[in-house]
Amino acid sequence: FSSRRRHTRYIGDWSSDVCSSDLVILIGSDWVICIILNTVHMARYSRLGKNTVLVFIGNAGSKLVGLLMLPFYTRCLSVEDYGTTDIINVYVTFLLSIVSCCIAESIFIFPKGQTYEKQREFLSSGLAFLIIAFLVTGIIFAGVSIVADCYSIENSFTQNIWLIYALLIAQLSQQLFQQFARSIDRIMVFSVAGIVLTVGTALFSFFFIPRLGVVGFVLSLVLANWVTTAYSLFCSTAYRFISLPAISWERCREMLKYSIPLIPNGIMWWLVSALNRPIMEANLGMHAIGLFAVANKFPAILTMIFAVFSTSWQISVIEEYEKDGYSHFFNNVFRIVILLMILASCLISILSPLIISIFANENYYESWRYVPVLLLSSVLIGISGMAGSNFSATKESKYFFYSSVWGALTAVIGNILFIPYIGTMGACLSVVFSFLVMSLSRCFYCWKYVKIHHISKIIFSLVGNIIIILLTLSSLYTSFKIVGYCLSFIFILYVNGDVLRQVYNVIKSRI
């Protein structure tokens, strides 16, 4: 009986959707009862975990290569050159959603679960649209280049316009076929594509960067993306879905109806996370952008890990939405993910001076001061992404736009006010405030579909994270800092004791 009561507590915490069933099966052995209930309920968590691992393999490699190659980059490129490569990536990120109309997002959602004929129509139509977009963009870029030459306009965009165009085309092609592979359940191909991109980037970088500098950096990314595109195209058998007769402008309109509202969201996201670069170029110079870019590498890893999880989490949300127990499922995962991100943020903040000294050249050491503040923005991105996942399930993409507008307005105002007076730290604070506003607005809109529980505990955890950041940046004695770190960690763990107990019960049951 005591054993059964322990299992009942576990079931009550994590299987409310199962226990609410009208059918109750009573079997003499509590082992059988636990296996039945655990198997039914844990299937959704197991699938989420499996998808996360596979998607992590697909995305993590391409993102982690930027960190692992950082010592090589900082040795071969000056701070100013590294700033140039960063702002080129910023422009490409800005143009991705505009040029493609976010068609890659539709290529994942619409073919999923459809017949072969419909899948062929969706991919062929999406590819045709993308080719037209490439041609139009090339003509516009040629016009911009001619005007810049005539009027002697020189800045980081006009000087690198064709590098930006080449990288833009390569990344859009790679995204299209990798997303289609995921849509038709070729998850392994999707995963290995990330490895191909990682290896290709590293190999091409070692060959081109020492010889060509900034041009070599961009060229290595372009070639690696094209190699990955070829791999995704053939190994997922996506070429079987490409056909001229299958091009349907009706299918194209159907996809664009969903994806076009995401364009302003992409622009707003760029304003939040990347508008600071052009403003920093005008006020502080490329040296400041280089330091900011190095500092942002480490929070970007935390954001990348969340983005990998979010990709598989989106699959689970789409599959589980409107099922019994979804609210309980959502809130459990929400609490665990945010807690893990906060703990990771605190730990990396404390170790940021050591990490920068290991991964970057001594010319970049000053950048460690910006790492803790940018890490807080990564946590806020996690909150925003978890709340916003419900908008994909309901196909209410307008809420992505609404929340991004508020974040973008905050970013524009913050960058204009902070950067000229506070410098690079002003850019970091602007990022934090903009993502704070975005996450609050998405939680507000999310409330319409699912209520977020234990908000006060999440806020207290964020306060603990902020205290650790302030301690790291302060000039207090090391002994005082250590005491403060320990007390802050204890506070965060105490506040989240309920979710930690639930995780412990699940692990114990599985073992």
Side-chain angles (χ1 to χ4, degrees), residues 230-270:
Y231 170 80
S232 299
L233 174 65
F234 291 103
C235 293
S236 68
T237 67
Y239 61 88
R240 295 174 53 246
F241 296 83
I242 300 174
S243 171
L244 281 175
I247 296 175
S248 168
W249 298 115
E250 181 62 32
R251 296 296 184 198
C252 194
R253 282 194 296 269
E254 185 179 349
M255 289 188 291
L256 290 174
K257 185 179 179 181
Y258 171 80
S259 65
I260 284 178
L262 297 176
I263 298 175
N265 176 66
I267 295 174
M268 298 303 172
W269 190 267
W270 182 87

Side-chain angles (χ1 to χ4, degrees), residues 315-341:
I315 298 173
S316 294
V317 168
I318 292 173
E319 293 175 347
E320 300 295 332
Y321 187 73
E322 293 185 340
K323 291 184 180 179
D324 291 338
Y326 171 74
S327 177
H328 188 67
F329 172 61
F330 170 82
N331 276 283
N332 279 333
V333 177
F334 185 95
R335 289 281 307 283
I336 294 170
V337 169
I338 301 307
L339 174 59
L340 290 175
M341 292 190 72

Side-chain angles (χ1 to χ4, degrees), residues 63 295-305 374-375 378:
K63 303 294 190 301
N296 201 39
K297 284 292 181 184
F298 303 94
I301 295 299
L302 184 59
T303 304
M304 176 272 299
I305 293 173
L374 292 172
L375 282 166
S378 297

Side-chain angles (χ1 to χ4, degrees), residues 89-122:
N89 277 315
V90 163
Y91 287 128
V92 171
T93 303
F94 171 70
L95 292 168
L96 280 173
S97 58
I98 296 176
V99 172
S100 68
C101 294
C102 299
I103 199 75
E105 298 292 332
S106 294
I107 287 295
F108 163 62
I109 291 177
F110 284 87
K112 189 172 181 62
Q114 300 293 332
T115 63
Y116 168 76
E117 290 300 326
K118 288 186 177 180
Q119 289 176 336
R120 190 170 67 158
E121 290 176 1
F122 281 122

Side-chain angles (χ1 to χ4, degrees), residues 417-431:
L417 292 178
F418 294 154
I419 291 178
Y421 301 102
I422 311 178
T424 307
M425 186 60 75
C428 299
L429 291 175
S430 176
V431 172

Side-chain angles (χ1 to χ4, degrees), residues 346-347 349-351 464 467-491:
C346 293
L347 183 60
S349 295
I350 295 170
L351 299 176
I467 292 173
I468 286 180
I469 291 173
L470 294 175
L471 286 171
T472 303
L473 297 177
S474 71
S475 57
L476 293 174
Y477 291 113
T478 304
S479 57
F480 289 141
K481 288 186 178 183
I482 293 174
V483 173
Y485 293 149
C486 293
L487 292 176
S488 299
F489 272 112
I490 292 172
F491 174 73

